[in-house]
Amino acid sequence: MASTNATTSSNYWDFLFTELADPRTNHWPLISSPVPGLTIIASYLYFVLNFGPKYMANRKPFQMQKTLVVYNFIQVLVSIYLFAEGLDGAWLRHYSWRCQPVDFNDNPAAMRVARGCYIYFLAKISELLDTVFFTLRKKDNQITFLHLYHHTVMPMISWGATKYYPGGHGTFIGVINSFVHIVMYTYYMMAAMGPQYQKYLWWKKYITNLQMIQFGMAFAHSAQLLWTDCGYPRWSVFFTLPNAIFFYMLFNDFYKKSYGSKKAQPTPVTATDSASTVKSIENNNSPKVASKEL
């Protein structure tokens, strides 16, 4: 009986993570099995929720100014690459804005998009450092539920997209999200460079407007699958649409509280403010820019 159950479990595992997967991407690092990715995420959560705060309890916060500048500069470059690849390799030249299936062939154009999905996944893994930096700098008030939810879920979603559907309709969200990242990480790179750059950072609140536009675009684009069938999985709307609405409401409320009146205006960003604050919704006395959450 035990042998039969083990065989059944093995067959089910192979079915889920081999037979259903895209053979073009399934052998890439961190993709073939969910175990490595889940281990990274579990380690991340353990560090930021348990080990990290205990380790920093009796220590002074790290400043990490140079590290933050370099980190955000790299994130800007990665976002520029993903945005350009998404437009040139798909949405401006080959894809239908109405409904686009995944091209599972191994031709250069299809593989280019698949690689873009994979790099986007790796970028989501790298963004876990945002919370690590919060912890090391003792910015615990910025590690909110929304922040942790986003950083935990996004690597999982991008892993699934790379493994099963690396391309097609769903990549639109990643492309516009990459554009928003260009703007946000540029802002926080400049904020980390020192007080002499403060006069150039007047456009902070407009980043939140850009984020809300992002959610609206994601909702409108994904909603087309409700009445259009091109082969892309229509069940995906049951995740994308509620999340777009949820996050739009959150950031709209954030914008009203942060910028709706002079009394609620945020305090200026200082040279030591985190370049990763973009990932959380802070209280009214913290640097404020709502994060991308798709």
Side-chain angles (χ1 to χ4, degrees):
M1 177 67 72
S3 177
T4 300
N5 291 336
T7 301
T8 301
S9 298
S10 177
N11 291 338
Y12 188 63
W13 179 275
D14 290 339
F15 174 73
L16 282 179
F17 300 114
T18 301
E19 295 180 29
L20 291 180
D22 186 337
R24 301 173 305 160
T25 61
N26 198 40
H27 63 283
W28 292 352
L30 302 179
I31 299 300
S32 62
S33 170
V35 174
L38 291 176
T39 300
I40 292 174
I41 292 173
S43 301
Y44 155 78
L45 290 174
Y46 176 74
F47 179 85
V48 301
L49 294 176
N50 188 290
F51 179 80
K54 290 181 179 178
Y55 177 79
M56 294 300 299
N58 299 315
R59 290 176 169 84
K60 294 182 179 180
F62 292 94
Q63 297 304 313
M64 306 180 69
Q65 182 178 1
K66 293 182 179 179
T67 299
L68 292 174
V69 172
V70 173
Y71 169 76
N72 283 277
F73 178 68
I74 293 174
Q75 291 292 356
V76 170
L77 293 181
V78 172
S79 298
I80 291 174
Y81 170 81
L82 290 170
F83 180 64
E85 278 290 282
L87 291 180
D88 186 63
W91 289 100
L92 287 185
R93 300 179 59 188
H94 308 289
Y95 276 19
S96 167
W97 292 86
R98 185 177 183 184
C99 185
Q100 180 65 38
V102 179
D103 184 353
F104 290 103
N105 295 307
D106 58 358
N107 59 70
M111 291 304 300
R112 181 182 183 184
V113 175
R115 282 191 294 270
C117 293
Y118 180 61
I119 294 173
Y120 186 82
F121 160 68
L122 296 179
K124 299 304 108 179
I125 294 293
S126 74
E127 289 171 16
L128 298 179
L129 288 173
D130 292 352
T131 326
V132 173
F133 292 152
F134 279 153
T135 302
L136 294 178
R137 299 178 64 247
K138 304 185 79 167
K139 300 286 186 178
D140 297 333
N141 64 307
Q142 296 175 355
I143 305 177
T144 64
F145 168 78
L146 178 60
H147 178 96
L148 291 176
Y149 171 80
H150 164 71
H151 281 73
T152 302
V153 170
M154 284 307 299
M156 295 180 182
I157 295 174
S158 53
W159 174 85
T162 302
K163 185 178 181 70
Y164 299 104
Y165 298 100
H169 201 78
T171 61
F172 176 80
I173 297 175
V175 172
I176 60 173
N177 181 239
S178 296
F179 175 76
V180 174
H181 269 203
I182 295 171
V183 178
M184 291 191 298
Y185 278 114
T186 297
Y187 177 90
Y188 282 101
M189 178 183 67
M190 294 176 64
M193 290 170 67
Q196 65 270 31
Y197 291 92
Q198 293 302 303
K199 60 183 178 181
Y200 303 114
L201 301 178
W202 52 267
W203 41 282
K204 177 167 56 175
K205 73 174 184 178
Y206 298 107
I207 299 177
T208 307
N209 294 130
L210 185 62
Q211 291 160 335
M212 290 190 289
I213 293 172
Q214 171 190 211
F215 303 133
M217 292 176 65
F219 180 91
H221 186 260
S222 295
Q224 295 179 104
L225 294 177
L226 293 173
W227 59 83
T228 305
D229 185 7
C230 65
Y232 193 85
R234 303 177 77 176
W235 53 260
S236 62
V237 300
F238 292 103
F239 177 82
T240 56
L241 298 187
N243 268 277
I245 295 172
F246 175 65
F247 287 120
Y248 181 89
M249 293 175 63
L250 277 178
F251 293 119
N252 184 53
D253 180 66
F254 163 80
Y255 184 88
K256 291 178 179 178
K257 291 180 178 179
S258 301
Y259 306 108
S261 64
K262 292 183 179 180
K263 187 176 181 179
Q265 287 293 327
T267 57
V269 178
T270 66
T272 57
D273 281 328
S274 171
S276 302
T277 309
V278 68
K279 295 302 187 297
S280 65
I281 298 179
E282 302 84 359
N283 58 43
N284 286 339
N285 293 319
S286 300
K288 291 180 174 63
V289 174
S291 75
K292 53 86 182 135
E293 299 295 341
L294 285 178

